[in-house]
Amino acid sequence: RLLTTAADVADEDTAFVIAAFETVLCRQPQQKELLRCLEFLQASQPPSPTVTSAAFPAGGTSRVEPSSDRHQRQREDFVHVLLLHNDFVTIR
């Protein structure tokens, strides 16, 4: 889990982004990456909890529903984006 205990949301989001980078990419984000990630967390608008997404035709393997908490859903979306990062999907 990538939970943080920072006092305010800005510090909490920064700590979350750093923890996510360290967990997924095994490195800290560069300053430019950190700023872009914080912009993403502040700007992304996850769907309303009352809106349901259509299932993929092939189905999915996840047994955990997306969070109904908007802030937590933004973080879930961020981690999904991070898993598509070039450093994660490219063998060097």
Side-chain angles (χ1 to χ4, degrees), residues 1-44:
R1 296 184 134 218
L2 298 173
L3 300 176
T4 60
T5 58
D8 71 34
V9 173
D11 288 343
E12 185 177 317
D13 282 345
T14 299
F16 175 79
V17 168
I18 292 170
F21 259 77
E22 289 176 344
T23 301
V24 175
L25 302 176
C26 298
R27 67 174 179 85
Q28 289 196 354
Q30 297 173 4
Q31 186 64 27
K32 184 176 180 180
E33 290 173 317
L34 178 61
L35 294 174
R36 293 291 303 267
C37 293
L38 293 173
E39 287 175 16
F40 175 84
L41 287 176
Q42 294 169 0
S44 64

